[in-house]
Structures are given as structure tokens and as C-alpha cells.
Amino acid sequence: EGSSFEIMTAACSSAGRLELKQQRPAQNNRLIMARIVQKFGGTSVADLDRIRAVAQRVKAEVDAGNQVAVVVSAMSGTTNQLVEWATDIGPVHDAREYDVIVATGEQVTVGLLAIALQNIGVDARSWLGWQIALQTDDIHSSARIKGIDVAQIEDRLMQGQVAIVAGFQGISPEGRVTTLGRGGSDTSAVALAAALNADRCDIYTDVDGVYTTDPRIMPKARKLDQITFEEMLEMASAGAKVLQTRSVAMAMRHKVHLQVLSSFSDEPGTLVIDEDDVMEEQKISGIAYSRDEAKVTLVSLPDQPGIAATVFGTLAEYHINVDMIVQSASADKQNTDITFSLGALDLDKAVDCLEAIKNKLGYQALVADPDMAKVSVIGTAMRSQPGIARTMFSVLAEKGINLHVISTSEIKISVLIDSDYTELAVRSLHDVFGLETA
Ligand code: ASP
Ligand code: MG
């Protein structure tokens, strides 16, 4: 995770949050309350009525005296359709053209929202990634943001104009359109908020916040009022889909005040905050899961230096992301087994490339299992409370759930299990940690 993101306007980079108000006390004879980035996801802009409703939400912030920049996704379903076309036309040899296609969904929604705003008397202008310019590297289809030149947009905000920025897209050093990976408009919004030194970044979605777990499989799931950046990061990377993982990492680095809330209700959302600002005691915050996991075991590898480096070096060369890894202790100092988990979509590729170097590695057998799920317990309580792993493993054992791989971080314990047991594991863990009551 490089922190190469730089803020390119001199005017903004050192201005504190309060300084903004002091610098520019009036805009169209009104007091500027705050500078806000609002982000609306695909379901929030799914049709014209919803776009009109979004325009009203934007207008409300403008009427309150705020400077507003808006980031939008494509209408829900659009990007899936575009990806399908891009991959069905024939093998994609050139990801630059893939990006040209899949980036178009957001061009439609920025234009529509600009018109909707203009029609209710709000001065608004749309901006595509290349126009602002949101600069990325050249890793097409999963590009990383390098910097944003917000000078122009800042100017417009100062004049009281709403800037509507297409999420998900940027421009490569070559000057070609890039995209940031699925769900990337969250990251666009956070990057823009950081570059504009915004007071808040409000992520509007179709759920009214971050839940203790997925309410679709656990109706007793509870909305969290707040969650720390670290917990949110672990939740996102462990499979909770509410925010793109990279957006959380970026918000944490740049201390962006992030809020997740629903565009369909006026309920308060979930604040994502610094651990230092948390008033409550350390606790278990949530149970996350991801079903699309697979497992590979290399049986009986020679127990020698360099073997693991060759296995994982080869996978890395093929851009295969590995998640959990265990190596069994070798009883006889001759052979060990290595087991790792990875995304199910990468399984075939991983098996191919490990079979290709079977002789070099000298393993006896390769066992692959495509039907795995990862279930994780997340919370800052792990820093201070002993016994959380015991509670977790005991309840899973009582339910007869076998653990294939275990991994931990300071605030997370994850287990790899057969995917058939996902719901049972999530519900039992939610119960045993008492998450339905705050
Ligand atoms: N429209 C893009 C996607 O579906 C980006 C986003 O919605 O965040 O992945
Ligand atoms: Mg999203």
C-alpha cells in the first residue's frame, strides 16, 4: 500500500479545517459552513427519479451555506453490463480499451445530475476524470490514484458552483482513461475530499450505515454509530462490501472525516473515526465474511530455504493475490505442507502456474478446493481482552465447523471454512459476542 497520493494545490495542502472558514467568510453573501464531498453510489442514481432526489440532497447542503463537490457512480447495473460487453466481444488484450468502455457509466450520471441541479436553480458543472485531472498510474482496470489537481474545482467551489465529478475514472501518464477497480468511486470521493481538504466526506449508499454483520444473513445485525478506521479497513478487506478497501486506507492516511449513510432515509449513518477519538471502550465491532475463497495445499514440499519464496514469488508474477498462508511444522526436518487461500476466481490460474513448476518445487501433490469461505471477527477489544480466540473457536467447534486455516492481525481473527457453513458461523459468532445489543 504505497502512500504516493499527493495533493497538488498549494492553496489547499496546508489549510486547516477551521482556516477555511476564516479565509473565506462569505460566498454569495452567505457564511460558508463547511466544504463537503458527497458520494452517491449506483443504487442512489439508479433512475431519473432517484437522480432528482440526489439533486435535492445536494441542494440542501448548498442551501445550508456549504461548498459541495459530488462524486457519483454509474447507475446500478450499468457497469456490470459494460464489463460484460467489453469481455464478450472477444478476448481483451488491451486493458486500455476495457477502461474506455467501463468508464462511460459515470459520464452519463454526472451529466444527468448536473442538469437535475441546474433545473432546481443550483449552479452545477460536471467533470470527468481527465478534466479535473485525477491522475493515476497505468495499471488499467485497477489503477491507483497519484494525485488530483483541484485548483480549477476549488475555484468553482469558491464561486458557489457545485462540482460533480465522475467516480471510478482517472487519466494515465500516457493520457488514456483509466478505472480504479470495481467499487472505485468510493476511492475517488475520498481522494477528492483529501485533495480539497474537505471537512466531511459523506458516502451515500443503499444501507444506512455499517452493520455488525450482513443483515441479509443475520436479521439481528445492528447499525454501528461509529467504527474506527482500522476496524473498517479490516471489515472491508474481510468481505464487508459497504466501502472499497482502498478508500478506507486512503481516508485513514489523510484523516478524512468519513460518514456512511443512506440516500433513502434521513437516519444518521456510521462515522468512521480515528481510534483516538473513540469515546466507547474497546469492543468487538463486527463479523465479516467472504464466500468467494479457495484453498490450495502443496503436499510434502522439501523443507528448504527458498521454497516459499518460489511459490509465492511465482504467484505474484502472475498478479495472483494470496490471503492466508500456513506452513505446517516439519516433524522430520525433510518435508512440509503449505496451504494458502486466494480468491476463487484466481484458482485455476494459480493451479496452472504451480503445476508448471512442480519439478522445480518438488512437491508430492497439489490439492485445490474452490468452495471456501472466510469468516472474521473484528474489533479493537482484541488489543486488550484475552480469550476472544478461544470463544470464537469453541463456538465454531460446537457447531461442528472445521477450521482449515486461521490467521490473525492485531484486531482481527479470520478462519477459512467450508462455504456451506458461512451463515451458521456468522450467526453463531454474532450471538456469542452479543453484537445485537450495543
Ligand atoms: N461503477 C463502478 C462499479 O460498479 C464504480 C463504483 O460504483 O464505485 O464498480
Ligand atoms: Mg459501491
Side-chain angles (χ1 to χ4, degrees), residues 39 73-74 79 106 168 181-186:
K39 183 260 170 177
S73 296
T79 310
E106 276 74 9
F168 185 48
R182 298 307 306 271
S185 50
D186 292 336

Side-chain angles (χ1 to χ4, degrees), residues 298-353:
L298 296 172
V299 181
S300 194
L301 284 156
D303 186 16
Q304 282 163 16
I307 292 289
T310 308
V311 170
F312 297 107
T314 308
L315 294 169
E317 269 168 41
Y318 286 87
H319 302 286
I320 296 169
N321 251 327
V322 169
D323 183 13
M324 308 157 105
I325 300 173
V326 283
Q327 177 176 332
S328 61
S330 129
D332 54 5
K333 299 260 186 278
Q334 306 250 333
N335 295 299
T336 63
D337 296 345
I338 290 182
T339 298
F340 61 89
S341 71
L342 73 171
L345 284 176
D346 282 338
L347 181 61
D348 289 346
K349 199 159 91 172
V351 169
D352 285 351
C353 79

Side-chain angles (χ1 to χ4, degrees), residues 180-426:
L180 309 177
R182 298 307 306 271
S185 50
D186 292 336
T187 304
S188 311
V190 171
L192 188 63
L196 285 169
N197 197 30
D199 298 270
R200 261 170 37 216
C201 181
D202 293 343
I203 308 275
Y204 284 91
T205 171
D206 51 0
V207 292
D208 53 1
V210 180
Y211 276 71
T212 49
T213 196
D214 185 347
R216 282 170 305 185
I217 69 173
M218 184 56 171
K220 284 191 273 179
R222 181 175 48 86
K223 187 178 75 189
L224 296 160
D225 297 329
Q226 52 182 43
I227 186 168
T228 69
F229 282 122
E230 285 89 349
E231 289 172 322
M232 191 64 236
L233 194 58
E234 294 283 18
M235 292 272 265
S237 62
K241 297 213 166 60
V242 61
L243 288 173
Q244 198 195 33
T245 309
R246 281 161 64 181
S247 72
V248 185
M250 187 177 282
M252 181 156 88
R253 272 203 306 276
H254 295 279
K255 296 206 182 301
V256 172
H257 291 187
L258 205 59
Q259 185 174 201
V260 178
L261 63 181
S262 167
S263 62
F264 300 98
S265 82
D266 291 315
E267 294 291 302
T270 301
L271 284 173
V272 189
I273 56 178
D274 230 55
E275 199 167 337
D276 298 341
D277 301 331
V278 179
M279 305 301 287
E280 304 164 30
E281 59 186 307
Q282 295 181 323
K283 57 182 175 44
I284 298 298
S285 286
I287 316 292
Y289 69 92
S290 113
R291 273 187 228 269
D292 311 315
E293 306 283 324
K295 182 184 74 165
V296 172
T297 301
L298 296 172
V299 181
S300 194
L301 284 156
D303 186 16
Q304 282 163 16
I307 292 289
T310 308
V311 170
F312 297 107
T314 308
L315 294 169
E317 269 168 41
Y318 286 87
H319 302 286
I320 296 169
N321 251 327
V322 169
D323 183 13
M324 308 157 105
I325 300 173
V326 283
Q327 177 176 332
S328 61
S330 129
D332 54 5
K333 299 260 186 278
Q334 306 250 333
N335 295 299
T336 63
D337 296 345
I338 290 182
T339 298
F340 61 89
S341 71
L342 73 171
L345 284 176
D346 282 338
L347 181 61
D348 289 346
K349 199 159 91 172
V351 169
D352 285 351
C353 79
L354 291 173
E355 276 173 350
I357 54 169
K358 179 167 187 198
N359 289 339
K360 185 168 165 200
L361 288 172
Y363 58 83
Q364 232 171 54
L366 185 159
V367 184
D369 192 327
D371 296 314
M372 293 282 133
K374 181 171 72 167
V375 176
S376 308
V377 174
I378 292 150
T380 48
M382 280 174 217
R383 292 198 213 280
S384 54
Q385 286 172 29
I388 290 169
R390 184 194 55 201
T391 306
M392 178 180 187
F393 300 156
S394 311
V395 77
L396 295 174
E398 272 164 36
K399 304 288 175 190
I401 300 172
N402 192 27
L403 313 182
H404 296 283
V405 185
I406 299 169
S407 77
T408 63
S409 81
E410 217 185 323
I411 60 163
K412 179 181 75 175
I413 303 169
S414 302
V415 294
L416 197 69
I417 62 175
D418 291 332
S419 66
D420 288 348
Y421 291 113
T422 312
E423 278 92 350
L424 180 62
V426 169

Side-chain angles (χ1 to χ4, degrees), residues 84-143:
E84 212 177 295
W85 284 334
T87 48
D88 284 358
I89 186 105
V92 181
H93 298 297
D94 190 341
R96 286 172 290 198
E97 301 309 336
Y98 170 94
D99 277 348
V100 166
I101 299 158
V102 302
T104 57
E106 276 74 9
Q107 177 160 349
V108 175
T109 47
V110 287
L112 289 171
L113 182 57
I115 293 174
L117 280 166
Q118 290 165 2
N119 285 335
I120 54 173
V122 178
D123 185 14
R125 183 60 62 212
S126 68
W127 300 85
L128 298 180
W130 63 269
Q131 289 172 306
I132 61 173
L134 192 146
Q135 291 158 355
T136 70
D137 61 19
D138 60 1
I139 312 299
H140 284 271
S141 84
S142 57

